[in-house]
Structures are given as C-alpha cells and as structure tokens.
Amino acid sequence: MLQLPPVQRADERLHQVEHDVLQNLKLRLEALDTPGELAGPPETLGQLLEVSMEQSQVQAQRMLVSQILAGLTADEARILAAFSDGSAFPMLTVYAGGRFTRGEVVYRHSSVGRAAGTQCGDMIGYYLHRLFERGWIMATGFEEAKRTEYELLEGDSGFRKALSQLQQHWPKLKPQRESVRFSPLGHLLWQQLVADGEADREEE
Amino acid sequence: MLQLPPVQRADERLHQVEHDVLQNLKLRLEALDTPGELAGPPETLGQLLEVSMEQSQVQAQRMLVSQILAGLTADEARILAAFSDGSAFPMLTVYAGGRFTRGEVVYRHSSVGRAAGTQCGDMIGYYLHRLFERGWIMATGFEEAKRTEYELLEGDSGFRKALSQLQQHWPKLKPQRESVRFSPLGHLLWQQLVADGEADREEE
Amino acid sequence: MLQLPPVQRADERLHQVEHDVLQNLKLRLEALDTPGELAGPPETLGQLLEVSMEQSQVQAQRMLVSQILAGLTADEARILAAFSDGSAFPMLTVYAGGRFTRGEVVYRHSSVGRAAGTQCGDMIGYYLHRLFERGWIMATGFEEAKRTEYELLEGDSGFRKALSQLQQHWPKLKPQRESVRFSPLGHLLWQQLVADGEADREEE
C-alpha cells in the first residue's frame, strides 16, 4: 500500500520526519505550558477569550500572522512580492449594474500575474478577488502610459469568456481600466510578515 | 476516560485509523521530499516564496483547491451544487443607506438554502455572505415569474427579525428583490474542484 | 535539541499532552466512525457532499462554528465581546473616489480596539477589515455626542500615515465619521458561538 521512495534517501527523510515530530511535540509542550498560546485551533469562543487575557503583543501578532499565512498560496505570495516595492499594474474591473449606479465588482483581470510569474495563469481573477477581500490591494486610476498593456489584457481569452458570461445579464457591460497596487493595509501586513520571518531566523 | 465505541467494530476502525496515520505519514514523507510542497501550513512568508520557485502548475492548483475546500462547510457544498447547473434563485438584499446612495449590503436572504436542503436553515444569510465574500456568487435582477417565492421569503421570521434590527438605524429600509447565481469565478472554481476530485480518484 | 522546561512541572505537562493526544485519538476514532463528520479538512468536493448527506443540524452547526473560530484571533474575540451587548463605537471610514461617487472603503479606524484592550493597537484597521469581511459588523451614522472621540481618532499617527498614503492617489480624500456595531449576522453568530461553548461544557 505504501509506495516508499528510493531507499538511498530514506534515512535522511526519516531523520527529517523525526526532527519534525520532535519539533512539533516541543512546540506543543511549550504551548500547553505557555499562557497566551493555543496548542491547536480554538474549540470554543471561551478558549479564545481566555487566551486573550494572558497574551503579549508578540503572541497576538504571531496569532494574526499565522492566520494570514494560512490563507495565502505560493502564487499569491509571488503576486504580493511584485507589489511590495510600491509597483502598480494595469487592471480591468467589471462593475455590475446599469447606467446610473456603478454596482458591485463582478470580475477583475490584471497583468500582475504574468509579471509575478504565477503558475496558474487562468486563476488571476480569483487571486485578485482573494487579495482584495483580505485587504492587501486597492484600485486606483487608469495610467495612460500603459495603454498597450490594457489592450492586451482586453484580448485575453479567459477575460473575454468571463465578460461574455456577464453580458448575458448586463448586455452593455464594459470593463473599466484601473490600476492595482498595495493598499495602506497591504504595506502594513507585508512589513509584519517580513519582520516575523526575520525574528524566526534570529531565534534559530 | 476514553469512551470506546462497541467492540465488534473496533478492529475495523483501528484498521482505518492505522491506514489514515500511515497515509498521513506517507504524504508527509513525500511533502518533505517534494520541491513545491509544504508539509503543513507555512510558518513564514519566506517559506511560501521558496516553495513558489519550485512549484508546478498542478501543485499550485492543489494548494489553492485545498484552501478553498478548508473554507467550505458541507451545507455550503450543497448550496454550490444547487447553483452548479447555472440555476438562479430568488434573493432579498438589504442595502444600508439613505435616499440617494444605495450603500453597502447589510443582509441577504434566499430560497436557495431550502432548495439545496441545508441543515442549518437559519444560517442562510451567513452562508450567502460567505459565498459572496469568496467570489462564488453574484446578484442579478428580479425575476417576475418568481413573485410568489419572493413573497414567501419576505415573510420568513429570521429575515423579518434581521430587518427590524436594521430598521432601528434606517427606518425606511426596504429589501430589494434580486436573483442569486454563480459568478464567472463560481463556474471556474466549480470546474477546478470537480476536476481535482476526479484526478484524485484516478490516482488511487 | 529539546529544551525542556523546568523539571518540577514536567510530569504535569506530560500528563496534559497525554490527555490531549488521547482526546485527539478519541475524536478521530469517533469521526471516522460517525456519519456526517470529517476527521480532518476535506480533500475533495465529493467528500464534503458525501458528508452533507449524513449530517445532522448539530453537526452542520459545529462545522460552521469551527471554521468561524479558526478565522478569529484572541484580539478579535475581545473586540467582538465589546460589541456583544449592542454597543457602538466611533469609526472613521475612508472611501476612495471622486466628487460624485463614494467609491470603495479603503481604510477604517476606530476606538473599539482601545476600548476592548487589544494587544496589537496598530492592527485595528486590519481587525476591522477582517470583521467586516466576515459579516460581524456594520457601519451606521455619526454620533454627535462622541465628537471628542472622533477628534482623537483623527489625530492617531497610524491613521494619519495611512491617510497620507491614500492622499497620494486622491488628494482631497477626507474620512467620514461613522459608528461601528454588530450587524444582525454578528448578533446571530455571537449567539451560536456562546451556545456552542455552553453545550461543550455540559458534555464534559
């Protein structure tokens, strides 16, 4: 049943697993012993409130950072890295709704996925959605200098397919040309994640 | 302390646990050994970025799919299945705000929960909120043919209770009659999740 | 490699770990044996749909509650507790956009963090974002009586820094004075989480 990988590397791998298991056990022992930390996900609201009464600022930051990291994929981390120096990228935004009300955003597309070198090129619309929902990014105005990039985006087949699905409900729908970049929260979160990584390296 | 279940099925269950534990150990061994995969949730941003440099498209999809699945309940999976053939359902949407600005959505109610056979009937407002936030669904126009369904929805006690709480702040608030259906992202995500399940079956 | 904590408490801690491990094993055995429950996160959409066919209402609620709890930090639990009696707190909301359209929310700030005694004072903008996204809270009108509190908020250095970043894109941007309080969903979710905690205590 177990298809074990080649024998010659088995020793090394077992060693790693052993280290990993012991490391986990250590963290677990410490968490059980440490006020302000939970050994696993909370089982009740009361547990969370209890922990909050004993938590230091560093522990509260760690708890938040670990929840942020658990909600990011590797592709999304690449996209965030592309934004982290303050860069903006062309974005097409499709707003539902009629002539007088702009309505909700129903689709987004951007060149940031290609620029960042993500693996799932067809998921860029969803990556943008997730990063907007998590507060990382915001939409700002059209940049005249990038006219060609906008035209390329408008021709992408995934985008055209989504647009034609939407036009079944709103026949006159047109994408807006905007830019996408880090929000103030995005800059703040990036700083937290980078600082947290550095603290971890120092501890080792 | 351990209240063990009836003995006659214990052997079978232990066998399952053993299989489960070995399976987990196998996955863990493989993940430790496999570039582009993480054995658990990322501990630092650096780890995610490192993984991204070795990740294949299939691995990137898997990472995304597992995060999507971890954020769905069984009731929500039933609701998504009800939408998956392109069906639309009546929805009441309550927008905060005054006479001239439509404002944010503050509550939603729909018959899709009943149609899908969810267990938690009183949580439909929250299920809709979560599925909108995750990009699965969108709101389109009122459907004249479903007039009776809208009237039934407007009479539901949970909805009336929420509306009266909101009317303490906006006395003239009225629900809008809309429809709810898969967004283009919803169709895309559903395809991914179904394809991923089929790939898993083939591997076994 | 294992830096064990002081010996005199080691016995007690090991006892706790043992209890924890056995408890986990018990839950796992039960979940494997129990229709309507999953022993871990779902691996495929099909698994979720299968579970949904055998799930009771209590099991469906548990699944939802555990996902809600996994997405809250201890600081956020304190904030929710501050809202739970119906209290409202002053909030500054920054809307992107020009003279005629109000645009999306790009930043929020509130005194609820200080009132709740959170550890990460500089993360209040992000906590508000997360709680809005998760449906817990909503924005209502300015409260004249709290004029001084709004003025204090407008002077906070984190808020001023975020505002000046945003004014690079929208020079005339001004924060709106609003209030923040539980939404109808917030009241409902709080009741569920409290009821769930009480049910757990009774079982023990």
Side-chain angles (χ1 to χ4, degrees):
Chain A
M1 192 173 60
L2 276 174
Q3 294 185 353
L4 286 170
V7 183
Q8 64 272 23
R9 275 142 69 204
D11 262 6
E12 192 194 331
R13 260 171 294 108
L14 275 170
H15 204 73
Q16 279 181 290
V17 172
E18 199 183 284
H19 172 268
D20 212 48
V21 166
L22 286 173
Q23 190 67 20
N24 259 315
L25 188 62
K26 186 189 159 205
L27 287 173
R28 195 147 189 167
L29 277 162
E30 289 175 353
L32 276 168
D33 200 46
T34 311
E37 283 175 31
L38 280 171
E43 282 161 47
T44 61
L45 179 67
Q47 258 183 21
L48 262 186
L49 288 170
E50 243 169 75
V51 163
S52 84
M53 289 190 279
E54 294 166 328
Q55 214 170 35
S56 70
Q57 197 183 334
V58 171
Q59 287 175 322
Q61 268 167 8
R62 285 264 160 116
M63 196 175 243
L64 184 60
V65 163
S66 78
Q67 290 192 10
I68 295 172
L69 286 170
L72 286 176
T73 67
D75 264 358
E76 288 167 332
R78 291 187 83 86
I79 294 176
L80 295 180
F83 284 123
S84 65
D85 64 354
S87 294
F89 296 86
M91 177 172 68
L92 301 174
T93 308
V94 185
Y95 294 90
R99 217 163 131 199
F100 299 108
T101 55
R102 205 175 55 159
E104 315 283 318
V105 172
V106 283
Y107 204 80
R108 294 183 186 94
H109 185 46
S110 168
S111 58
V112 68
R114 275 197 287 263
T118 58
Q119 283 299 326
C120 300
D122 53 343
M123 295 309 275
I124 181 65
Y126 189 51
Y127 289 150
L128 290 169
H129 179 86
R130 280 167 52 102
L131 297 176
F132 266 95
E133 291 307 309
R134 281 159 180 73
W136 282 95
I137 52 180
M138 65 177 185
T140 55
F142 165 63
E143 293 187 21
E144 178 66 36
K146 293 176 180 163
R147 188 172 288 276
T148 323
E149 278 192 70
Y150 285 104
E151 283 162 12
L152 283 171
L153 283 175
E154 281 156 0
D156 283 342
S157 67
F159 177 72
R160 293 176 69 87
K161 193 178 157 194
L163 192 62
S164 77
Q165 282 177 26
L166 291 167
Q167 283 168 338
Q168 291 169 19
H169 304 289
W170 302 280
K172 294 184 178 177
L173 216 59
K174 271 183 196 163
Q176 292 284 319
R177 294 179 173 185
E178 300 181 339
S179 300
V180 58
R181 54 173 20 105
F182 262 0
S183 65
L185 282 181
H187 284 294
L188 184 66
L189 296 177
W190 183 261
Q191 280 165 22
Q192 292 271 329
L193 294 195
V194 170
D196 186 72
E198 277 161 12
D200 270 23
R201 253 198 304 283
E202 276 160 30
E203 267 173 39
E204 269 165 32
Chain B
M1 191 172 58
L2 275 172
Q3 294 185 353
L4 285 171
V7 183
Q8 67 270 25
R9 276 140 71 206
D11 260 6
E12 192 193 333
R13 259 171 294 110
L14 276 170
H15 204 73
Q16 277 181 292
V17 173
E18 198 182 285
H19 171 268
D20 210 50
V21 167
L22 286 173
Q23 190 66 21
N24 258 316
L25 187 62
K26 187 191 160 206
L27 287 173
R28 194 147 191 169
L29 277 162
E30 288 175 354
L32 276 169
D33 201 46
T34 312
E37 283 175 31
L38 279 173
E43 280 161 48
T44 63
L45 178 68
Q47 257 183 23
L48 262 185
L49 288 168
E50 245 169 72
V51 162
S52 85
M53 288 189 281
E54 294 166 328
Q55 212 169 36
S56 71
Q57 197 182 335
V58 171
Q59 287 175 321
Q61 268 166 9
R62 286 264 161 117
M63 196 176 244
L64 184 60
V65 163
S66 76
Q67 290 191 12
I68 295 172
L69 286 171
L72 287 176
T73 67
D75 264 357
E76 288 166 334
R78 290 187 84 87
I79 294 175
L80 296 178
F83 285 123
S84 65
D85 64 354
S87 294
F89 296 86
M91 176 172 66
L92 301 174
T93 308
V94 185
Y95 295 90
R99 216 162 130 198
F100 299 108
T101 56
R102 204 174 55 160
E104 315 284 317
V105 173
V106 282
Y107 205 80
R108 294 183 186 96
H109 185 47
S110 168
S111 58
V112 68
R114 274 195 287 262
T118 56
Q119 284 298 327
C120 299
D122 52 344
M123 295 310 275
I124 182 63
Y126 190 51
Y127 290 150
L128 290 169
H129 179 86
R130 278 165 55 103
L131 298 176
F132 265 95
E133 291 307 309
R134 282 157 180 73
W136 281 95
I137 51 179
M138 65 179 184
T140 55
F142 166 62
E143 293 187 22
E144 178 65 35
K146 293 177 180 163
R147 188 173 288 276
T148 323
E149 278 192 70
Y150 285 104
E151 284 163 12
L152 281 171
L153 284 174
E154 282 157 359
D156 282 342
S157 66
F159 177 71
R160 293 178 69 88
K161 194 178 156 192
L163 192 63
S164 76
Q165 281 176 27
L166 291 166
Q167 283 169 337
Q168 291 169 17
H169 305 289
W170 302 281
K172 293 184 179 177
L173 216 59
K174 272 183 196 162
Q176 292 285 318
R177 293 178 173 186
E178 301 182 337
S179 300
V180 58
R181 51 172 24 101
F182 261 0
S183 66
L185 283 180
H187 285 293
L188 184 67
L189 296 177
W190 183 261
Q191 279 165 23
Q192 292 272 327
L193 293 196
V194 170
D196 186 73
E198 277 161 12
D200 269 22
R201 254 196 303 284
E202 276 159 33
E203 267 173 39
E204 269 165 33
Chain C
M1 194 172 59
L2 276 174
Q3 294 185 351
L4 286 171
V7 184
Q8 65 271 25
R9 276 140 69 205
D11 261 7
E12 192 195 332
R13 257 170 294 109
L14 276 170
H15 204 73
Q16 278 181 291
V17 172
E18 201 184 281
H19 171 268
D20 211 48
V21 167
L22 286 173
Q23 189 66 20
N24 259 315
L25 187 62
K26 185 191 159 205
L27 287 173
R28 195 148 192 165
L29 276 162
E30 288 176 353
L32 276 169
D33 199 47
T34 311
E37 283 176 30
L38 280 171
E43 280 161 47
T44 63
L45 179 67
Q47 259 183 20
L48 262 186
L49 288 170
E50 244 168 74
V51 163
S52 84
M53 288 190 282
E54 294 167 327
Q55 212 169 38
S56 70
Q57 196 182 335
V58 171
Q59 288 175 321
Q61 269 167 7
R62 286 263 160 118
M63 196 175 242
L64 183 60
V65 163
S66 77
Q67 289 192 12
I68 294 172
L69 286 171
L72 287 177
T73 67
D75 264 357
E76 288 166 333
R78 292 187 81 87
I79 294 175
L80 295 179
F83 284 123
S84 65
D85 64 355
S87 295
F89 296 86
M91 176 171 67
L92 301 174
T93 308
V94 186
Y95 295 90
R99 216 162 129 198
F100 299 108
T101 55
R102 204 174 56 160
E104 315 283 318
V105 173
V106 283
Y107 205 80
R108 293 183 187 96
H109 185 46
S110 168
S111 58
V112 67
R114 274 196 288 263
T118 57
Q119 284 299 325
C120 299
D122 53 343
M123 295 311 274
I124 181 65
Y126 189 50
Y127 289 149
L128 290 170
H129 179 86
R130 279 167 53 104
L131 297 177
F132 266 95
E133 291 308 309
R134 282 158 180 73
W136 282 95
I137 51 179
M138 65 177 184
T140 54
F142 165 63
E143 294 186 22
E144 177 66 34
K146 292 176 180 164
R147 189 173 287 277
T148 323
E149 278 192 70
Y150 286 103
E151 283 164 12
L152 282 171
L153 284 175
E154 281 157 0
D156 282 344
S157 67
F159 177 71
R160 292 177 71 87
K161 194 178 157 192
L163 191 63
S164 77
Q165 281 176 29
L166 292 166
Q167 283 169 338
Q168 290 169 19
H169 305 289
W170 302 281
K172 294 183 180 178
L173 215 59
K174 272 184 195 160
Q176 292 285 319
R177 294 178 173 186
E178 301 181 338
S179 300
V180 58
R181 53 172 24 102
F182 261 1
S183 66
L185 282 180
H187 285 293
L188 184 67
L189 296 176
W190 183 261
Q191 280 164 21
Q192 293 271 327
L193 293 196
V194 170
D196 186 72
E198 277 161 12
D200 270 23
R201 251 197 305 282
E202 278 159 30
E203 268 173 38
E204 271 167 32

